[in-house]
Structure formats: C-alpha cells, structure tokens
C-alpha cells in the first residue's frame, strides 16, 4: 500500500471546512447543552415528584441509547411533526440533548460533593433555594466538576462524527466525500483521525491548564474531594 | 432588658413543637418563649434533641407539629393555612432577621472573608455594595477580624472561622441569633476568643438561644438556662438556680457528669469548666 | 401524519432478531477486547519494556482521541486494501475490539493497582513465578476489582454496535433502516428499535450500578 500525499494538498481545504463545521456544531451543542444539563440536574433535585420524574427519565433515556439512533429519531421525528430544519440544526439539537444528559450527571455529582452545611447556612441567611444554588453551591461545584465536564466536552467532539450519517457536512462527512472521489480511504480517514486527535489533545491541554488555575485559586481541604460520581467519558 | 413589660415572653414563641425522624420521636411537644434581649442557654446530654429543637426555631428543620412565631409573625406551623409559595417567601424574609451559627462554622470557602459577610446582605437584604461593605467591615471589627478581610476562609483558624460566621450573622442586623454549640469544634485555646464575642453581644442586648456545654459561660451570660432530656424540657430557670440547686434527679446526674469532666485539665483559658461535645 | 403504532408492532419480530445480532456483536467485541487488553496488560507489566509502554500509551490516546466511527471506517476500508477480506461483520467486531481494548486496558490498570504488593511477594515466596503468578494470583484479583467498570464498559460496547450499521452490518439499527426504507414509516420503526436499545442498555447499566453498590458495601 502506498500513501498518496497529494490528497492533503488537493482536498485539504475541503477537510478544513468540515473541521470548522465540527467546531461550530460542538460549540452550539455546548451552548445549548450545558445550561439544559444544569436544568436537568436541578430538576432531579426538585421537590416536585413530576419534575424529578421527567428529569430522571430524560437523563436515563439519553444515556442508555446509542447516539446514532437518537440522531435518526430526531431527524425523522421533527418533520413528522411538521418541523423542517436543516440537517446541521438537527445535529446541534441532537448533540445538545445527548450532551445535556451527561452534563447533568456530572453537575449533580458536583452538587452532591459540596458539603451539606453549605446549603443549610445559605438557607439560614434567608436565601431561596435558587439563590443558595446560584451564589453558594454552584460556584463551589465548578472547580470540582471541571475535569469531568472537560471529558464530556471531548466526547461531544467525537460523537459529532455520527452526524455525518444524516449528511451534516462536518469533518467525517468531508472524509467520506473525499474517499468517494479519490478512492483513497486510508489517506482520507487517517487525516481526519489526526485532526480529531489534535483537536482533542489541544482542548485537553487547555482545559488541564484552566483546571490547574482554578484549583490553585481554590485549593483547599474543603474542595479537595474530586467528584467520584462523575461517569467516565463515553467512548467513540 | 425587655422593651416593654407587655412584650415580655412573646418575642419568640415556640409552641408544642413535635418532631420525629422515622418512628423515633425526637421532640415531644416542646414549648419555649423568649423575650426580647434575653439570652437562653440550652444544655442537655447528647442526642436529647437540642440541635433539632434549635433548628425548628428558624424552620431549617420543619416540625411535625406545633408552631413558631417571631414577634407575632408565623415562622412555621403545622398545620399552615398559607400557600407553599407564601410560606417560602415569608420564611425567607424572617430568616434574614434570624441569624444562625453552626457548630462547624459553615463559612463559604469560595468567598473571601469580606465577601462572606457581604454576600447575604446583597442577595437577601438587597443592600448596595457600598453599604454592605460598610456593614461588613463594622461586623468584622466587632469580632476582631477586620485585618483579615481579604483572606480566604481556608487560611483562618477554627476560632477565626467561627467569628467570621458570627460577623456574617451580625451584618444582617438580626433580631434573634441561634447558635448550636458554637465552640465545641474548636481547639481549647480558641474557645475563649469566641465566647468573649458572644458575651459582648449579650451585653449589647442581643436576643440569643445558645446550645452549649460551656457551663461557666452559661452561668455568667445566660438569663435563663434550659435543660433538655429525651426530647423534653425537664427544668428551666435562672442559671445559678439551675446550675447550683437542680431540682430533678436527672439534671443533678447530668451536672455531676459534666463536673467530673470539668476537673480534667481541658478547661478554657478563662477558667470555665468545659466539656467536649460528646460526639 | 399520525403515529401508527401498528407499524411498530409489525416490525417487532425482525427488530427482535436484530437485537440478538446486536447482543452477539457486543458480547464478541467485548470478550475479544478483554482478552486483548489482558495480554497487553500482562506484557506491559511483566516486560517493563519502555517501547511497549509508550506504544500502548499512544494507542490508548489515539483511540480515546478519535471518533469510533472513523476508527470503524479505517478498519473497514483499509483492511481490503492491504489484502485482508473479512467482510463487514468481522471488520466491525475487530473495530469494536480495538476500540474497547483501550478502555479495558485502563480499567485493568486500576484493578491491578488495587492488588496489594504483598500478594506478589507472598506468591513468589511460595515459589510461584511468571505465568502461574499471573494466572493464579494477580489476574483473578485484578478482574474481581474491575467487575463494575467492566460491566459499564460493556454498556458502551453495546451502544457502539449501532455504528456498525454504517458499514452494512445487519444489526438492530440496520434492520430498522431496512424496514422503514420499505414501509416509509421511520418514526414508528425507529421507536421500536429505540425502546429495545433502551431496555438492553438500561438493564446492563442498572446491574452495573447494583454491582457497584454491592462492591462498596463489601469493601466498607
Ligand atoms: N436528620 C436526621 N435524621 C434522623 N435522625 C436524626 C436527624 N437529626 C437528628 N436525628 C436524631 O435525633 C436525635 C436528636 O438529635 P439532636 O442532634 O437534636 O441531638 P443533640 O441534643 O443536638 O445532640 P448533640 O449534643 O450530640 O449535638 C438523635 O437521636 C439523632 O440521632
Ligand atoms: Mg447537637
């Protein structure tokens, strides 16, 4: 097997466009998915059983089914109910929904890791549940959950490849197109694999630096306990 | 000390408070009324329900029966005719004026010393930053922490953390302060610093309910000592009466046990007899 | 359009067959990955070879840093080019194995770390060496300590099998695609497959968390 390097020069721009689309989609999914994950995490702790039930069901369903079938479901269900969105939008929404279920579990673990007395002392000053969360609990949760949130974000980058199956023009789709035109699958796929790998490692390095900065500012016995409850990053 | 004779004994009214955890009843219809400016010390053996009772006073632990009123306003009660949202709203408003100090401090480690005191003022009392900081500095000076305002709580000693917790309460201009064993998590040499702050508060006329094992402190500061056992108030009265001439056998036994411990060399520097929290 | 559940019911028998294929794929891929990961773990620990350690580290980083879908395409499209024609099913299982092995190696590393050092010395003093030491003493304890995360990993493999539909392996996802491309009722058919995936994964992950709490009780 010989390696044809001309593909890099000939199809590089096309791959980079796909790469850019991947980044946009993941950023979109994070912008939608993280706040929704927070809502789900708080919903799981709600006093109202019905809200707890919906939050828990959402999280369990999205964590216990393959992402690819979630994507297909959404892709066909939306038009079924008369909502016609471009594939990229469907992709962002699917990725956000999937991610929010995992983000929710990480956030929940972080909230549980903050000492119970912290919530009590906040409530005792007259703060509402939400104010206590906003000003006392969540700020303490942040440094605890950062590593696990990073893992989940990296897993979203990888899962976004699956959006190629509904023709979203992201990086993997670009590779499929290139291999269809050149019949050089090895070059096409190894190149995008390297791009994903580089993106993954870059993000990991940046986040590790941020984590170190955050934990230096807040390093202390009270926050040393790292979230154990956080699920491992999904693979893929 | 009381503002007027007619307000005597109805500033804080806790009426027939009942509380169970599972099928274990922890409080058997306990009643207590506190007048303005009064300092109450609650003593009693471990597990008798002191903390639980104190925590029903601001409804942090909702009771299963009975009611709590502060200056006539309902803090919490069973049954409660108000809607849940009204209950929550009115309770939060009342809690803003009722301070609570915990055994293990519960200072907020993500906020600086100053911000610990500023935060609830801005969030709950809706004060502007300038005013909140002024109040905070005054409160910190009151407890002798004004030079630590930009420290992180984790760099404070236990005694300093507890004084910070007290400053956080004071800055809210409380009409009532609840304290649950404020010194029992402290190293012996740090106890007196905190007790001195509490004494000054008492002298200024702050209404306080303090669960404590510091009998010396109780006898010098309390207007009334309340002895609880097995979820009931067994005896209450002026400190010298309660501590010198106990009427019931149970209180006698309790004091004897405490005094035996008090002769051990872990008295605080002010010479008060002390006892470990027992937990 | 209205959701017509009869299409879901009509599809059930074939979806059920598809789930059996899905389970088989997951079991095979997972089993092979445990074997591969065990070999790598033993080789890496026993040989103390620097080169091996680095290669394994890079391998794990690559697998964890790239999408499984791309890994599947690489295996599926590249094998025939180098003259290996094993068909989509085997290529799919191979891809799952290669992917999952990276995660299982990490799990076993954690399990291995929980085996007390004294165990090695005790075994050596009994005259056990090399192969026997691993098979009789170290690996059983490593696996015992790794059971909950391994069951978790199996859920991941189970979900990952759905990606093999993209290289024409006829498992649950692919079966449902075949059905709805004939009857044009994707929503009803996919719902059936979705529920089946959920039941399978939920059952496995539930047992994983049950195992986990059981293990924690035992340790306490
Ligand atoms: N949240 C809870 N759930 C179950 N049981 C509880 C709870 N809080 C307190 N209890 C029980 O209620 C009883 C009274 O507890 P409480 O903390 O009020 O005692 P205490 O007098 O403050 O004791 P100590 O001096 O040790 O602090 C104890 O038997 C305790 O185990
Ligand atoms: Mg107590």
């Amino acid at each position: 097997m010989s390696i044809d390097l001309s593909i890099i020069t000939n199809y590089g721009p096309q791959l980079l466009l796909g790469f850019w689309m991947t980044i946009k989609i993941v950023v979109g999914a994070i912008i939608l998915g993280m706040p929704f994950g927070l809502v789900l995490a708080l919903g799981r702790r709600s006093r109202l059983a019905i809200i707890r039930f919906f939050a828990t069901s959402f999280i369990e369903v999205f964590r216990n089914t393959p992402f690819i079938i979630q994507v297909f479901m959404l892709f066909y269900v939306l038009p079924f109910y008369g909502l016609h969105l471009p594939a990229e939008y469907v992709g962002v929404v699917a990725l956000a929904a999937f991610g929010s279920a995992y983000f929710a579990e990480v956030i929940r673990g972080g909230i549980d890791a903050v000492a119970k007395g912290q919530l009590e002392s906040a409530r005792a000053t007259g703060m509402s549940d939400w104010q206590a969360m906003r000003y006392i609990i969540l700020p303490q949760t942040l440094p605890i959950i950062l590593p696990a949130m990073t893992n989940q974000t990296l897993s979203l980058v990888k899962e976004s490849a699956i959006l190629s199956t509904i023709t979203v023009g992201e990086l993997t789709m670009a590779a499929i197109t290139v291999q269809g035109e050149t019949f050089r699958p090895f070059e096409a796929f190894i190149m995008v694999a390297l791009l994903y790998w580089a993106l993954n490692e870059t993000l990991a390095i940046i986040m590790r630096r941020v984590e170190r900065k955050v934990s230096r500012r807040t390093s202390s016995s009270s926050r040393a306990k790292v979230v154990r409850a956080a699920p491992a990053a999904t693979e893929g | 000390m009381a503002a007027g004779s007619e307000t005597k004994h109805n500033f804080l009214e806790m009426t027939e408070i009942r509380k169970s955890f599972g099928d274990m009843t922890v409080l058997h219809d306990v009643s207590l009324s506190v007048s303005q400016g009064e300092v109450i010390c609650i003593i009693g053996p471990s597990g008798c329900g002191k903390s639980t009772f104190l925590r029903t006073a601001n409804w942090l632990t909702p009771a299963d029966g009975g009611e709590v009123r502060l200056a006539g306003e309902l803090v919490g009660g069973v049954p409660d005719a108000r809607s849940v949202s009204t209950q929550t709203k009115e309770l939060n408003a009342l809690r803003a004026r009722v301070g609570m100090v915990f055994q293990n401090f519960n200072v907020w480690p993500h906020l600086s010393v100053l911000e610990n005191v500023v935060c609830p003022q801005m969030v709950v009392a809706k004060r502007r930053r300038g005013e909140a900081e002024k109040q905070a500095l005054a409160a910190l000076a009151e407890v002798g922490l004004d030079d630590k305002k930009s420290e992180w709580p984790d760099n404070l000693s236990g005694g300093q953390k507890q004084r910070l917790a007290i400053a956080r309460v004071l800055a809210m201009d409380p009409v009532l302060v609840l304290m649950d064993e404020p010194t029992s998590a402290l190293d012996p040499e740090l106890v007196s610093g905190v007790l001195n702050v509490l004494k000054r508060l008492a002298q200024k006329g702050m209404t306080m309910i303090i669960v404590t094992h510091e009998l010396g402190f109780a006898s010098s500061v309390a207007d009334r000592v309340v002895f609880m056992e097995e979820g009931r108030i067994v005896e209450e009265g002026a400190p010298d009466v309660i501590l010198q001439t106990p009427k019931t056998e149970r209180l006698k036994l309790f004091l004897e046990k405490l005094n035996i411990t008090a002769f051990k060399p872990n008295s605080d520097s002010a010479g008060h007899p002390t006892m470990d929290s027992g937990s | 359009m209205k959701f017509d559940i009869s299409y879901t019911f009509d599809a059930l028998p074939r979806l059920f067959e598809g789930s059996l294929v899905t389970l088989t794929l997951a079991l095979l891929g997972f089993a092979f990955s445990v074997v591969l990961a065990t070999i790598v773990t033993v080789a890496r620990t026993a040989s103390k070879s620097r080169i091996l350690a680095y290669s394994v580290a890079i391998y794990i980083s690559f697998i964890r840093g790239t999408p499984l879908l791309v890994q599947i395409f690489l295996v599926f499209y590249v094998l025939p080019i180098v003259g290996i024609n094993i068909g989509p099913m085997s290529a799919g299982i191979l891809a799952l194995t290669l992917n999952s092995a990276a995660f299982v190696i990490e799990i076993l590393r954690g399990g291995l770390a929980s085996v007390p050092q004294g165990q090695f010395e005790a075994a050596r003093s009994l005259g056990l060496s090399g192969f026997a030491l691993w098979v009789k003493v170290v690996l059983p304890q490593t696996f015992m300590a790794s059971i909950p995360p391994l069951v978790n990993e199996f859920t991941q493999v189970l979900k990952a099998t759905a990606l093999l539909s993209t290289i024409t392996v006829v498992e649950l996802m692919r079966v449902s695609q075949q059905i709805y491309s004939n009857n044009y009722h994707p929503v009803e058919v996919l719902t059936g497959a979705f529920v089946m995936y959920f039941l399978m994964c939920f059952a496995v992950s539930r047992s994983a968390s049950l195992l986990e709490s059981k293990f924690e009780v035992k340790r306490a």
Side-chain angles (χ1 to χ4, degrees):
Chain A
M1 183 175 94
S2 64
I3 292 173
D4 182 357
L5 288 174
S6 70
I7 285 183
I8 301 176
T9 46
N10 291 343
Y11 290 91
Q14 195 172 338
L15 291 180
L16 283 180
L17 270 180
F19 192 50
W20 179 229
M21 177 63 94
T22 289
I23 292 175
K24 280 195 292 189
I25 283 176
V26 171
V27 168
I30 289 171
I31 290 173
L32 290 178
M34 278 196 190
F36 192 57
L38 175 61
V39 170
L40 287 173
L42 295 177
R44 251 193 125 149
R45 304 167 41 92
S46 167
R47 263 172 306 196
L48 298 176
I50 180 94
I51 293 181
R52 277 204 307 275
F53 174 78
F54 276 116
T56 310
S57 307
F58 186 97
I59 293 170
E60 291 297 343
V61 165
F62 277 84
R63 279 162 51 92
N64 283 297
T65 45
F67 180 53
I68 187 171
I69 196 168
Q70 295 169 15
V71 172
F72 272 83
M73 283 285 278
L74 201 66
F75 186 71
Y76 286 112
V77 163
L78 291 182
F80 189 81
Y81 290 105
L83 193 59
H84 295 272
L85 289 180
E88 297 88 71
Y89 286 64
V90 176
V92 170
V93 172
L95 198 59
F98 170 84
S100 68
Y102 287 87
F103 287 137
E105 285 298 272
V106 173
I107 295 171
R108 186 171 73 116
I111 292 174
D112 287 347
V114 174
K116 186 165 165 278
Q118 293 289 312
L119 182 63
E120 286 198 331
S121 57
R123 301 288 276 130
T125 65
M127 287 190 202
S128 66
D129 254 333
W130 167 243
Q131 287 171 330
M133 271 293 153
R134 160 85 177 71
Y135 295 102
I136 306 302
I137 307 300
L138 290 180
Q140 295 187 54
T141 305
L142 196 62
I144 306 178
I145 64 173
L146 209 52
M149 289 301 256
T150 304
N151 276 344
Q152 294 304 343
T153 301
L154 297 181
S155 103
L156 285 195
V157 173
K158 291 178 280 168
E159 296 290 337
S160 71
I162 291 172
L163 300 179
S164 62
T165 58
I166 56 163
T167 69
V168 176
E170 44 67 74
L171 184 51
T172 303
M173 188 71 217
I176 293 170
T177 315
V178 170
Q179 85 94 20
E181 286 172 19
T182 60
F183 302 104
R184 306 289 308 191
F186 178 74
E187 287 84 346
F189 288 120
I190 202 71
M191 225 153 48
V192 304
L194 291 177
L195 280 173
Y196 277 113
W197 198 6
L199 178 61
N200 205 70
E201 289 298 308
T202 312
L203 281 177
I205 289 169
I206 294 173
M207 289 314 288
R208 233 170 283 146
R209 205 163 281 175
V210 173
E211 278 160 29
R212 226 175 296 143
K213 208 165 249 170
V214 170
S215 71
R216 197 181 310 136
R217 200 180 74 73
T218 58
S219 75
S220 78
S221 49
S222 51
R223 270 144 300 148
K225 27 181 173 8
V226 169
V227 186
R228 192 180 41 81
T234 49
E235 70 194 83
Chain B
M1 242 184 272
S5 55
E6 71 275 12
T7 61
K8 186 88 178 144
H9 275 266
N10 61 9
F11 182 59
L12 177 73
E13 283 288 353
M14 301 176 72
T15 318
E16 298 184 347
I17 300 294
R18 191 172 67 247
K19 180 73 193 178
S20 310
F21 291 112
D23 40 11
M24 177 180 65
T25 302
V26 176
L27 296 173
H28 302 270
D29 300 331
V30 184
S31 298
L32 179 73
S33 56
V34 181
S35 52
Q36 210 158 15
E38 205 176 8
V39 176
I40 308 264
C41 283
I42 302 181
I43 60 173
S46 180
C48 71
K50 305 181 296 291
S51 298
T52 309
F53 184 56
L54 189 77
R55 291 160 56 90
T56 59
N58 63 353
W59 223 243
L60 205 55
T61 299
D64 300 329
E67 65 168 36
V68 178
R69 278 179 187 279
L70 181 70
E73 285 178 70
L74 190 60
V75 176
V78 181
D80 194 329
R82 301 172 297 177
S83 73
V84 175
S85 68
T86 316
Q87 280 176 34
T88 324
K89 227 163 104 196
E90 295 186 358
L91 180 57
N92 285 336
L94 278 162
R95 278 179 182 162
R97 296 189 282 139
V98 178
M100 188 161 217
V101 174
F102 299 84
Q103 182 171 352
N104 46 1
F105 328 130
N106 291 339
V107 293
W108 300 319
H110 64 298
L111 298 175
S112 72
V113 166
L114 183 68
E115 289 305 313
N116 257 273
V117 188
V118 166
C119 174
Q121 291 186 69
M122 293 181 64
V123 174
V124 180
K126 306 287 178 219
R127 290 180 186 150
R128 289 174 195 284
R129 172 159 286 279
E131 193 200 345
E133 281 188 6
K134 215 176 87 196
Q135 287 265 358
L137 288 173
L140 285 171
E142 179 91 27
V143 300
L145 280 181
D146 34 348
D147 56 329
K148 300 276 184 204
K149 66 176 163 107
S150 7
E151 279 290 352
W152 292 103
D154 288 324
N155 300 334
L156 299 182
S157 73
Q160 289 169 331
K161 278 183 195 161
Q162 192 61 299
R163 283 185 277 146
L164 169 58
I166 295 170
R168 188 170 72 190
V169 161
L170 294 182
M172 297 288 285
D173 297 320
V175 295
L176 169 68
V177 179
L178 310 169
M179 305 204 181
D180 192 0
E181 305 194 32
T183 58
S184 50
L186 297 179
D187 292 335
E189 71 273 16
L190 300 174
V191 169
S192 62
V194 172
L195 290 186
N196 287 336
V197 170
L198 300 189
K199 269 183 206 162
R200 265 206 313 280
L201 280 182
Q203 280 156 10
K204 285 189 174 170
M206 180 68 77
T207 316
M208 294 193 279
I209 306 181
I210 307 170
V211 175
T212 185
H213 291 286
E214 306 277 346
L215 295 189
F217 169 77
S219 79
S220 68
V221 173
D223 296 305
R224 190 152 38 115
V225 173
V226 171
F227 171 63
M228 284 184 71
E229 194 177 49
E230 287 177 1
R232 291 188 172 83
I233 293 181
V234 177
E235 229 176 294
E236 61 180 301
D240 35 344
V241 178
I242 293 289
L243 299 176
Q244 311 300 330
T245 57
K247 285 198 283 288
T248 58
E249 210 44 48
R250 300 169 138 193
L251 177 53
K252 258 180 225 162
L253 228 75
F254 174 73
L255 292 175
E256 261 165 37
K257 267 196 212 146
L258 263 195
N259 279 330
I260 291 166
T261 337
F263 287 126
K264 288 184 182 165
N266 64 338
S267 304
D268 73 60
S269 53
H272 299 306
T274 61
M275 194 191 119
D276 293 334
S277 67
S279 50
Chain C
M1 252 210 264
K2 223 171 117 303
F3 188 93
D4 188 347
I5 197 141
S6 67
Y7 287 99
T8 315
F9 285 128
D10 289 346
L12 279 186
R14 283 185 67 193
L15 291 180
F16 186 73
E17 282 167 28
S19 338
L20 291 183
V21 178
T22 286
L23 276 175
T24 312
L25 290 169
L27 282 171
L28 286 176
F30 181 66
F32 290 146
S33 84
V34 171
V35 172
L36 177 59
T38 308
I39 294 171
V40 171
T41 301
V42 175
R44 185 171 66 165
T45 318
S47 77
K48 299 200 172 74
S49 150
R50 274 268 187 83
I51 297 170
L52 186 59
Y54 279 130
S55 328
V56 173
I58 290 174
Y59 173 72
I60 290 175
S61 167
F62 178 80
I63 293 291
R64 301 182 77 146
T66 56
L68 173 55
L69 187 61
V70 174
Q71 295 164 16
I72 290 172
F73 287 157
L74 270 174
V75 172
F76 180 66
Y77 286 111
V78 174
L79 283 184
I81 296 178
V82 294
I84 304 172
N85 283 304
I86 52 175
M89 181 83 97
S90 308
I93 294 174
L94 178 61
L96 289 182
T97 302
L98 292 176
N99 176 273
S100 176
F103 294 87
V104 177
I105 290 171
E106 292 285 90
I107 292 171
L108 293 184
R109 189 176 58 146
L112 187 60
S114 74
V115 179
Q117 274 298 311
Q119 299 275 334
F120 287 85
E121 281 141 32
R124 275 204 201 91
S125 71
L126 283 173
L128 279 182
S129 65
F131 190 71
L133 173 75
W134 279 98
V135 172
K136 294 222 164 86
V137 181
V138 180
L139 285 180
Q141 294 186 63
T142 304
F143 278 114
M144 275 312 282
S146 309
I147 286 176
L150 282 176
V151 178
N152 246 335
E153 174 58 21
F154 179 67
T155 338
Q156 303 296 348
V157 179
L158 193 54
K159 285 189 275 181
T161 57
L163 291 183
L164 301 186
S165 62
T166 60
I167 55 165
T168 71
V169 177
V170 186
E171 40 63 74
L172 180 51
M173 184 72 199
R174 186 81 184 179
V175 167
S176 60
Q177 286 169 336
Q178 287 174 343
I179 299 174
Y180 72 67
S181 62
N182 278 327
N183 71 7
Y184 302 107
H185 280 82
V187 175
E188 289 88 342
V189 177
L190 282 170
T191 302
F194 193 81
V195 170
M196 286 197 175
Y197 273 119
F198 177 74
L199 292 179
M200 288 190 283
C201 297
F202 191 67
V204 179
S205 65
R206 246 309 112 88
S207 55
S209 49
L210 281 181
L211 275 173
E212 223 159 305
S213 50
K214 208 176 226 167
F215 269 57
E216 245 151 55
V217 169
K218 234 187 234 168
R219 257 179 240 147

